[in-house]
Amino acid sequence: MQQAIIGIPCDIKMIGLLPFHAVGDKYIAAAAGGTGGAPVLIPALGDPVAMRTMLDMVDGILLPGSPSDIEPHHYNAEPSRPGTLHDPARDATTLPLIPMLLEAGIPLLGVCRGFQEMNVALGGELYQHVHEQPGFQDHRETKSEDVDAMYANAHRVHFPEGGLMRQWLGQAHAEVNSLHGQGIKRLADGLSAEALADDGLVEAFSVINAKAFAFAVQWHPEWKYAENPVSQAIFKAFAAACNQRRAQRAR
């Protein structure tokens, strides 16, 4: 059987004076190595026709993290503070794409910004500054030039009984990294919390009654995925769903 095709939507990144479509290498590496699939980058064109064409080409979609935040008007929140990095072209691509993927039954894995995009696209809301909310921890990364320190495990997450993470790992909790300033304020209808931080913040969810794999995490499982049992469990489940779709399309 041929490799599953894993689509990864791009950010728009300024390099010099010009915009480039870009995806972090760690997401591409995890899509290839973690699933055994062939990654294909999806430009942030915001074009519904192009997106529907892409649906016929892919066996799964990985929504990657990004330094940018979703523009808050998408979840009816107050404008961002001056200096906040946004990527309206990515918003215009991923937010409409998510319902299309769910309707088509295409496996979907969201990471960090991708996790937040799935919640927003399905009607949920975000905190723009989690660390300023009463009762919540500071979930932002360690200020360090050492990348390993930035991506080191930062806090525990708890897996609800009967949830997917419990099934995949056979354990009630795990340690994960934490590199986000925003987080879920209200979980969208139709989503089920799959992991909670000690402060109660939703750190993973699944789409209830989805036609195929539809799962998202706030942390970064792509970072050194081959060394992390939690990451391996997530990518193994995603890979199985993508390979199943590939086999069905090959018939």
Side-chain angles (χ1 to χ4, degrees):
M1 184 177 72
Q2 292 183 330
Q3 290 177 292
I5 305 300
I6 313 298
I8 310 176
C10 293
D11 298 332
I12 296 295
K13 179 179 178 63
M14 297 300 297
I15 300 178
L17 300 177
L18 297 172
F20 284 69
H21 294 260
V23 172
D25 177 72
K26 60 194 174 85
Y27 299 105
I28 298 171
T35 71
V40 172
L41 304 191
I42 300 174
L45 299 176
D47 181 348
V49 175
M51 285 187 278
R52 292 192 182 279
T53 301
M54 185 64 64
L55 298 186
D56 295 330
M57 299 173 56
V58 300
D59 301 298
I61 291 286
L62 170 62
L63 296 173
S66 170
S68 67
D69 292 333
I70 302 167
E71 290 191 304
H73 69 82
H74 290 293
Y75 50 95
N76 299 316
E78 65 278 5
S80 301
R81 293 173 183 172
T84 301
L85 178 62
H86 290 304
D87 189 343
R90 172 159 169 168
D91 291 348
T93 302
T94 55
L95 296 181
L97 180 63
I98 289 164
M100 294 181 192
L101 294 167
L102 295 174
E103 177 60 30
I106 297 173
L108 173 60
L109 174 61
V111 172
C112 197
R113 191 193 208 269
F115 164 93
Q116 295 169 8
E117 287 169 338
M118 288 175 66
N119 187 55
V120 168
L122 298 176
E125 299 175 357
L126 303 177
Y127 288 121
Q128 295 190 50
H129 306 279
V130 172
H131 58 284
E132 296 179 3
Q133 303 302 315
F136 286 103
Q137 302 166 4
D138 190 339
H139 289 255
R140 295 174 296 178
E141 64 269 25
T142 300
K143 301 300 181 184
S144 173
E145 296 297 321
D146 184 342
V147 179
D148 283 328
M150 290 174 60
Y151 282 88
N153 288 340
H155 64 74
R156 176 176 291 192
V157 290
H158 302 265
F159 306 134
E161 189 171 355
L164 292 174
M165 292 300 299
R166 280 270 191 127
Q167 295 175 31
W168 297 339
L169 287 167
Q171 60 194 55
H173 53 77
E175 295 289 324
V176 299
N177 54 40
S178 189
L179 296 91
H180 61 102
Q182 302 200 321
I184 288 183
K185 178 179 181 180
R186 181 177 61 81
L187 195 63
D189 292 342
L191 300 182
S192 176
E194 295 281 354
L196 299 169
D198 287 335
D199 58 9
L201 191 69
V202 176
E203 291 271 340
F205 61 71
S206 59
V207 179
I208 300 169
N209 297 325
K211 297 177 181 178
F213 181 98
F215 191 84
V217 296
Q218 180 64 85
W219 67 89
H220 287 267
E222 80 286 352
W223 178 252
K224 295 189 174 181
Y225 65 90
E227 303 173 16
N228 189 310
V230 176
S231 298
Q232 290 176 8
I234 293 169
F235 282 109
K236 180 180 179 180
F238 180 48
C242 295
N243 288 331
Q244 180 181 13
R245 176 172 168 81
R246 183 65 182 178
Q248 291 171 344
R249 295 204 308 131
R251 291 174 184 171

